[in-house]
């Protein structure tokens, strides 16, 4: 039953924070597979091409030279046992920004060699499929937010997709590509009062959710929240006020 599958996946670390429509699309890209103890799913140092969600049985991960070099084990041959709902390959992705930054997944390698202890069942998810799903979802979310952003809310999708006046690597980039959606940790510093950056590095931020504290001379003078534009001074080439 498809809904039972969705419920099961939502309890796994890899999938639990995905929006419902992204989770549903990702679940359709999964492939069920039974594997055996003489079959290596992946070897340490090998490029990460698939994720393996354990749904039955036990997986043994063995340290190799790459595992030791990465500091994940002290000696070659060390072993750890993985059980149901563990995702082989996910920890490596977390070290590269996790699901929030699929653009940084290039040149990621498996840290451990993995194979079943006896017989195991897994869901297999191709990295290319997951990257495509997440990037498409991120694009749709970015366009939705740009239609709320004061400086772009009146622009059509066609206008947002047109080349901007900004060049990177010798090419004009699209207007929507100028904007990034980021989840920032507590105490993140956007910039400091009186700083002034050149146009190519100055930042303007629009608060999607959460609160931002504005400070003057080290003291909190205001707390702003969802819907607030922060750093507008950069539009005029001025110093940041807070």
């Amino acid at each position: 039953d498809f809904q039972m599958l969705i419920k099961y996946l939502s309890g796994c670390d890899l999938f639990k924070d995905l929006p419902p429509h992204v989770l549903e699309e990702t679940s359709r890209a999964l492939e069920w597979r039974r594997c055996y103890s003489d079959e290596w799913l992946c070897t340490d140092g090998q490029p990460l091409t698939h994720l393996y969600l354990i749904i039955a049985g036990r997986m043994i991960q063995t340290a190799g030279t790459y595992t030791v070099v990465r500091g994940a084990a002290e000696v070659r041959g060390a072993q750890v046992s993985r059980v149901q709902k563990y995702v082989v390959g996910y920890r490596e992705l977390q070290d590269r920004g996790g699901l929030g930054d699929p653009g940084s997944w290039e040149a990621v390698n498996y840290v451990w060699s993995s194979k079943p202890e006896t017989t195991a069942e897994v869901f297999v998810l191709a990295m290319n499929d997951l990257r495509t799903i997440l990037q498409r979802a991120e694009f749709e979310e970015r366009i939705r937010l740009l239609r709320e952003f004061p400086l772009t809310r009146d622009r059509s999708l066609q206008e947002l997709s047109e080349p901007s006046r900004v060049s990177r690597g010798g090419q004009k980039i699209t207007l929507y590509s100028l904007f990034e959606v980021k989840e920032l940790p507590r105490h993140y510093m956007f910039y400091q009062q009186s700083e002034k950056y050149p146009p190519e590095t100055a930042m303007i931020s629009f608060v999607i959710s959460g609160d931002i504290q504005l400070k003057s001379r080290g003291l909190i003078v205001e707390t702003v929240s969802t819907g607030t534009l922060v750093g507008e001074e950069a539009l005029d080439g001025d110093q940041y006020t807070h």
Side-chain angles (χ1 to χ4, degrees):
D1 182 82
F2 187 68
Q3 291 306 315
M4 289 181 64
L5 172 61
I6 294 294
K7 184 177 180 179
Y8 178 83
L9 295 177
S10 63
C12 304
D13 286 343
L14 173 63
F15 304 101
K16 65 181 182 181
D17 294 324
L18 293 179
H21 70 286
V22 180
L23 174 58
E24 181 173 331
E25 186 175 2
T26 303
S27 68
R28 297 185 188 281
L30 296 174
E31 177 186 344
W32 177 86
R33 179 173 164 188
R34 177 177 286 121
C35 39
Y36 302 92
S37 59
D38 60 349
E39 177 184 3
W40 289 100
L41 296 183
C42 57
T43 56
D44 65 295
Q46 174 189 2
L48 198 157
T49 57
H50 295 79
L51 298 175
Y52 301 93
L53 168 62
I54 304 170
I55 55 178
R58 190 180 299 269
M59 199 73 63
I60 300 298
Q61 293 192 305
T62 304
T65 301
Y66 186 76
T67 319
V68 175
V69 170
R70 289 296 306 272
E74 295 184 0
V75 295
R76 295 178 58 191
Q79 292 187 326
V80 292
S81 179
R82 306 299 187 186
V83 295
Q84 190 179 35
K85 292 193 176 181
Y86 183 85
V87 181
V88 175
Y90 181 44
R91 192 163 293 178
E92 289 87 331
L93 286 191
Q94 289 178 307
D95 291 339
R96 288 296 188 91
L99 300 187
D101 192 12
S104 66
W105 293 353
E106 298 301 327
V108 178
N109 298 324
Y110 293 104
V111 174
W112 295 81
S113 298
S114 303
K115 69 175 183 177
E117 184 177 49
T118 53
T119 301
E121 295 179 12
V122 297
F123 280 132
V124 184
L125 178 59
M127 291 293 296
N128 287 339
D129 290 342
L130 180 59
R131 182 187 290 109
T132 298
I133 291 168
L134 294 177
Q135 289 180 333
R136 180 166 55 243
E138 191 278 335
F139 170 76
E140 293 171 351
E141 177 68 2
R142 187 187 310 189
I143 295 300
R144 183 187 70 79
L145 292 170
L146 287 176
R147 287 173 172 161
E148 298 178 9
F149 186 52
L151 301 179
T152 56
R153 63 169 51 133
D154 295 326
R155 293 182 180 268
S156 65
L157 177 58
Q158 180 178 345
E159 291 174 313
L160 292 172
S161 302
E162 291 176 352
S164 68
R165 291 181 292 177
V166 177
S167 295
R168 291 177 184 167
Q171 293 185 331
K172 297 286 188 181
I173 64 172
T174 56
L175 182 58
Y176 70 74
S177 297
L178 294 175
F179 300 84
E180 295 181 68
V181 180
K182 291 186 176 181
E183 183 175 340
L184 303 175
R186 189 177 183 183
H187 301 308
Y188 177 85
M189 180 73 72
F190 289 84
Y191 44 76
Q192 295 191 13
Q193 184 180 15
S194 300
E195 285 184 331
K196 180 180 177 180
Y197 295 102
E200 59 269 21
T201 58
M203 287 182 56
I204 303 169
S205 302
F206 181 66
V207 185
I208 300 171
S209 64
D211 299 321
I212 294 177
Q213 293 178 334
L214 304 181
K215 293 185 176 182
S216 180
R217 298 182 180 180
L219 300 176
I220 298 173
V221 295
E222 186 179 0
T223 298
V224 299
S225 57
T226 304
T228 303
L229 195 61
V230 179
E232 288 181 273
E233 300 92 335
L235 289 172
D236 299 316
D238 296 333
Q239 296 177 341
Y240 289 116
T241 305
H242 300 98

